Amino acid sequence: MADSIFILFVLSLNVIICEWLIKKPGFRHIGTALLVIILTAIESNLKIIPTTETPVYEGIFSYVAPFALFLLLLSVNLKDLRQAGLPMLTMFLIGSVGTITGVLVSVWAFSAPQTVGKLFYALAGMFTGTYIGGGINFNAVALHYNVSKAGNLFVAATAADNIMTALWMVATLLIPRFLQQRFPHQKTASQIATQPTTANDMIDDPFSDTETMTPNDLALLLALGFGAISLSKLLAFFIPEAPFVLILTTLALLLAQFRIINNLRGSRLLGMFGVYIFLAVIGAYCDVAALIDDGQLAFVLFGMILLLVLIHAVFVFGLGALFRQDWAVLGIASQANIGGATSALALARSLNRSDLQLPAVLVGTLGNAIGTYLGIFVAEMLR
């Protein structure tokens, strides 16, 4: 058995390598998350680190992953949502309904119980979560149903999800501009009124991986995280009907409503590192030879995702056109669903809509808050 310290060294080194690679032109759009999975999968298949369960991997699944999810949710303060504006919030929620509808239709259209296998319901929950609020929810639902340990299935789902997320960013860049030229919708007075005084008057810091923190900040985050995980495990033991992940999510959201917690430095830094380490272990479980043999699975998953996203788009752009909503609002609300807060912010900037940057981030954080709940709801409905 490989030495535990050596395994941790390799996993941490992989994060360093992938963070360096994404600064290079050829890798920039792949993202650290997918690169970490791929690199670790290569190493495990070369027998540099184990492909089977070890105490290190089990500890990362049991403690590091929940801890990371908890920290990332501490930035979700629901009081800020009133600043998002009713049109953006409404279209985001309509997009969420479209996602759920799309997931249910795609499960039926692709005969998922037969083509995907016995974990089809968990995959449906993961797709629901990620296309309502982003990758945090994808990983949380996967962790709850142990899809994380089904390495090949998880990697195929991640690859299909990453491809669709990239394609949808391009689509939401082009669709609002095309529709605005063909069917112009004027900006409303309320949207003009919310425009920041400067283009840089935005909240980059909560969505930046670069933070300055003190030993006291670190101690507070560790105490909160370990305390919340302990309490969640205790409550899940006494209330078996309440999943551990949902209890932990609820505790994180409750704490995040206090500004002193919401503004703690280092939560995103530690949270993202924890997610990358978790994803590295996912890569370690991936048997590349088996994945190639079962290549049809990736095509099935991508087909399901493509269908559900198209149904989501019909809901957002169809109903948005009916109510004559600003095309940029529709594109950004959709991107907040499909790609999460950070990509919605990037889209608002690309569309030169500084007035929609803050609303984009806020509805994206709402997706972080509700995505896991809805993902598990859909999974249990299909189970």
Side-chain angles (χ1 to χ4, degrees), residues 192-202 354-355:
I192 295 169
T194 58
Q195 185 152 339
T197 54
T198 70
N200 294 322
D201 187 20
M202 289 308 307
S354 58
D355 57 307

Side-chain angles (χ1 to χ4, degrees), residues 114-343:
Q114 290 77 43
T115 55
V116 175
K118 63 181 182 180
L119 286 174
F120 80 94
Y121 63 91
L123 263 291
M126 289 159 60
F127 292 153
T128 300
T130 195
Y131 293 138
I132 284 176
I136 294 176
N137 310 122
F138 184 88
N139 293 325
V141 178
L143 196 65
H144 174 64
Y145 290 109
N146 284 324
V147 182
S148 314
K149 294 182 180 179
N152 293 344
L153 181 62
F154 190 96
V155 170
T158 302
D161 174 42
N162 275 272
I163 292 168
M164 177 50 65
T165 302
L167 291 174
W168 198 243
M169 174 59 87
V170 175
T172 48
L173 270 169
L174 298 177
I175 292 172
R177 289 170 173 164
F178 172 78
L179 292 175
Q180 181 64 22
Q181 289 174 354
R182 296 292 299 272
F183 312 101
H185 286 183
Q186 297 298 319
K187 288 169 62 178
T188 65
S190 63
Q191 289 167 335
I192 295 169
T194 58
Q195 185 152 339
T197 54
T198 70
N200 294 322
D201 187 20
M202 289 308 307
I203 50 174
D204 289 316
D205 290 342
F207 296 92
S208 169
D209 294 339
T210 304
E211 295 181 84
T212 301
M213 57 189 301
T214 67
N216 186 59
D217 296 326
L218 177 60
L220 277 169
L221 292 173
L222 291 173
L224 284 171
F226 294 147
I229 290 170
S230 299
L231 180 58
S232 298
K233 286 183 177 291
L234 184 65
L235 291 174
F237 177 78
F238 286 109
I239 315 171
E241 299 81 9
F244 162 74
V245 168
L246 290 190
I247 296 173
L248 186 65
T249 297
T250 304
L251 285 177
L253 292 173
L254 288 173
L255 288 170
Q257 306 320 300
F258 298 94
R259 287 295 180 194
I260 191 170
I261 302 294
N262 192 229
N263 294 329
L264 279 176
R265 294 173 295 183
S267 60
R268 180 166 174 81
L269 172 68
L270 286 178
M272 288 307 301
F273 178 74
V275 166
Y276 292 151
I277 292 293
F278 163 69
L279 293 176
V281 177
I282 300 300
Y285 278 124
C286 176
D287 184 338
V288 172
L291 185 62
I292 292 171
D293 290 341
D294 198 18
Q296 182 183 355
L297 176 63
F299 288 104
V300 170
L301 294 178
F302 183 76
M304 290 178 64
I305 289 173
L306 179 60
L307 178 59
L308 81 87
V309 169
L310 290 176
I311 292 171
H312 158 90
V314 169
F315 270 72
V316 174
F317 289 99
L319 291 174
L322 186 64
F323 295 113
R324 293 193 60 78
Q325 289 296 312
D326 184 344
W327 297 121
V329 168
L330 303 183
I332 292 166
S334 176
Q335 188 56 233
N337 278 139
I338 303 301
T342 306
S343 61

